[in-house]
Amino acid sequence: MNEFSAMNTRDLLNAYKNGDTSPTEYMRWLISHVEAVEPKVCALYAFKPDEALKQAEASTTRWLNGETTGPLDGVPVTVKELIATKGDPVPQGTAATDKTPASEDAPTAARLKEDGAIIFAKTTCPDYGMLSSGLSTFHHLSRNPWDLSQNPGGSSAGAAAAGAAGFGPLHIGTDIGGSVRLPAGWTGLFGFKPTLGRIPIHPYYTGRCAGPMTRTVDDAVMVMPTITRPDWRDATSVDYQALDWDVPPANVKGMKIGLMLDAGCGIDAEPDVKAAVVTAAQQFEAAGAEIIEIPPVLKREWLDGLDVFWRARFWGTMLKLTEEHRQSILPYIFDWAKAGGDANPLDVVKGFDATMAMRDACAAVFQKVDTVLSPVNPNVSYPADWASPTNDPQRPFEHIAFTLPWNMGEQPAASINCGFSTSGMPIGLQIVRPRFDDLGVMAIAKTYESWRGPISSWPTL
């Protein structure tokens, strides 16, 4: 088979089952493709082609013998560098950290391996995962496959670049303020941030989730049953439910949909972004939904307060390092965090309390509407070597105002491509549903994807 690049997870598994191809044949193609394109996009860390091919050969034998180990047997997948895999260091994107190999798999990696998926590589992230960028002092600079001069976003930068470059069908990122959805939006992928705790993670933290970044909604559907299985290490995880993720598209007739075009603070949505999101909302309206323009859920004081809290928290982490190691941190991140050392303790506490204020505001929205639509990213793109869309450590979070609140509110939210800018860059539509209604997000995303049709112009590098 020559059209491996067009195959999603379901296609691949059907091809294995029918004998049209094998995990070995697909992995050989994938390794060749990665080796040709990776020098241009720099998406990967711990790429192990020989080990991946060995695992693919074992999977091929299992398929031939009818003894597959799980529903993803032989499917290649990447996980973000921050997701520990046994035997691999977890540098957290920075030259400053200790590079001791992880002693065990994090929950997501463990579940994938249990179901036979082949983690053939990990993907890059910026220093401490605290940038919406592919800029790192440990990894090579990750670039956006749609335009190599532009940024893929972050902090799941490598996952976004890998997905858009066609490095297999499944990529798993992490998201504490938009780090799955933002890069998915900038690279044309479907990115899903579940209800907090739906996908067990370790280490866990307020608002921190893992989630799939894929070319199609169906790819995310295929991996969710695996990565949502329980793990005792995540004390924030929700009660496990064996959900049927393969839901039909939603009937949106009569649905009350809130359209949020103003984030309340940060960068204003650029004209191309706003136009694409409005056009998407009009499609929902034409299908019978009631579109209600709603005000933002975020306030300037809450975003600034969380900034202070995160600065102080990360400065505390950096104080544990030697002076030599601190000097190797990306200057943008170092300067940003250092200001937290001078913060008034009361301001730090107020900053953490802002997470609770966001939680209240996000919950209140769904007393009026069923679903929220908004931009994911306020801007179309920005240079590859910038640390963020502002490139200013004093204004680090101006681009996350549409995405951040739903992390603190714990609602499921997704990014799905809803068009392209005049410069040819992808634009993301955010779909948000009430807490625990992850299946609702998937159903609505399927509906929109069916209207939009498949993306036929993925980058060829």
Side-chain angles (χ1 to χ4, degrees):
M1 298 182 68
N2 297 319
E3 294 304 317
F4 284 141
S5 61
M7 296 178 74
N8 67 11
T9 306
R10 196 181 298 269
D11 295 333
L12 198 54
L13 288 166
N14 285 336
Y16 293 167
K17 181 180 179 180
N18 298 332
D20 295 330
T21 192
S22 69
T24 301
E25 187 178 7
Y26 183 82
M27 184 59 72
R28 285 177 178 154
W29 169 82
L30 180 59
I31 290 169
S32 176
H33 177 60
V34 167
E35 289 177 342
V37 176
E38 169 62 7
K40 302 175 185 178
V41 298
C42 298
L44 303 183
Y45 163 65
F47 174 43
K48 300 178 180 180
D50 292 342
E51 176 61 27
L53 190 56
K54 186 183 301 183
Q55 291 184 47
E57 289 168 349
S59 176
T60 296
T61 299
R62 292 193 295 272
W63 277 99
L64 288 172
N65 294 334
E67 298 174 348
T68 53
T69 61
L72 296 176
D73 203 327
V75 177
V77 61
T78 70
V79 297
K80 188 175 179 178
E81 183 246 274
L82 298 178
I83 299 171
T85 48
K86 185 176 180 179
D88 297 314
V90 186
Q92 300 178 67
T94 180
T97 54
D98 177 55
K99 305 303 185 291
T100 301
S103 61
E104 61 182 3
D105 291 318
T108 301
R111 300 296 87 76
L112 288 166
K113 290 181 180 180
E114 289 166 2
D115 278 358
I118 301 171
I119 301 176
F120 71 95
K122 303 185 74 175
T123 50
T124 64
C125 68
D127 285 52
Y128 294 101
M130 283 306 296
L131 296 176
S132 199
S133 174
L135 190 62
S136 163
T137 56
F138 180 80
H139 302 295
H140 293 296
L141 176 65
S142 298
R143 295 177 179 273
N144 193 325
W146 291 92
D147 180 342
L148 295 175
S149 73
Q150 297 299 291
N151 212 298
S155 62
S156 303
F167 290 2
L170 298 177
H171 308 276
I172 310 298
T174 63
D175 187 319
I176 197 172
S179 289
V180 161
R181 290 156 292 155
L182 291 164
W186 277 310
T187 56
L189 301 178
F190 176 72
F192 180 56
K193 180 205 80 67
T195 297
L196 182 72
R198 180 74 71 191
I199 298 174
I201 60 170
H202 189 264
Y204 54 84
Y205 199 72
T206 303
R208 184 171 183 257
C209 301
M213 300 172 67
T214 58
R215 286 188 170 188
T216 69
V217 177
D218 192 57
D219 283 307
V221 164
M222 295 293 286
V223 77
M224 287 299 288
T226 294
I227 59 179
T228 53
R229 289 206 308 274
D231 193 295
W232 69 269
R233 290 172 289 176
D234 186 352
T236 68
S237 59
V238 300
D239 188 34
Y240 172 68
Q241 295 174 282
L243 299 175
D244 180 4
W245 289 91
D246 198 6
V247 292
N251 179 0
V252 302
K253 186 175 182 179
M255 188 178 290
K256 291 185 176 181
I257 295 180
L259 177 60
M260 186 183 296
L261 297 173
D262 176 6
C265 54
I267 300 169
D268 289 336
E270 293 178 357
D272 280 0
V273 172
K274 188 175 289 188
V277 171
V278 168
T279 297
Q282 289 170 344
Q283 290 181 275
F284 283 89
E285 187 172 41
E290 180 184 359
I291 303 298
I292 305 166
E293 289 204 32
I294 60 173
V297 291
L298 187 61
K299 296 181 180 179
R300 178 86 253 176
E301 64 190 87
W302 298 346
L303 182 62
D304 290 345
L306 191 60
D307 181 17
V308 171
F309 172 70
W310 277 349
R311 288 177 192 247
R313 177 174 178 263
F314 273 89
W315 185 242
T317 298
M318 292 174 189
L319 287 178
K320 299 174 185 177
L321 303 173
T322 65
E323 179 62 27
E324 180 182 1
H325 281 165
R326 279 200 294 273
Q327 291 305 313
S328 64
I329 297 170
L330 189 74
Y332 181 105
I333 290 292
F334 182 86
D335 292 345
W336 167 76
K338 191 173 187 300
D342 299 323
N344 184 310
L346 295 179
D347 289 336
V348 175
V349 173
K350 283 176 62 179
F352 180 76
D353 286 347
T355 66
M356 297 297 109
M358 289 183 220
R359 186 183 181 97
D360 287 346
C362 290
V365 168
F366 292 105
Q367 306 309 302
K368 301 174 183 177
V369 298
D370 307 308
T371 302
V372 172
L373 299 180
S374 80
V376 176
N377 320 87
N379 60 313
V380 166
S381 66
Y382 56 104
D385 59 355
W386 280 21
S388 73
T390 62
N391 207 31
D392 180 356
Q394 302 311 313
R395 297 189 304 130
F397 300 133
E398 300 301 293
H399 59 288
I400 67 174
F402 283 112
T403 55
L404 170 68
W406 313 113
N407 289 80
M408 303 306 135
E410 303 184 7
Q411 287 80 12
S415 171
I416 188 167
N417 176 259
C418 66
F420 294 84
S421 69
T422 53
S423 60
M425 300 302 287
I427 295 170
L429 170 72
Q430 184 168 228
I431 302 168
V432 191
R433 290 282 288 181
R435 194 163 168 246
F436 306 122
D437 192 12
D438 303 65
L439 298 184
V441 172
M442 287 293 189
I444 293 170
K446 279 187 175 183
T447 298
Y448 181 74
E449 186 180 50
S450 71
W451 298 337
R452 186 205 68 197
I455 295 175
S456 59
S457 57
W458 289 106
T460 54
L461 299 168

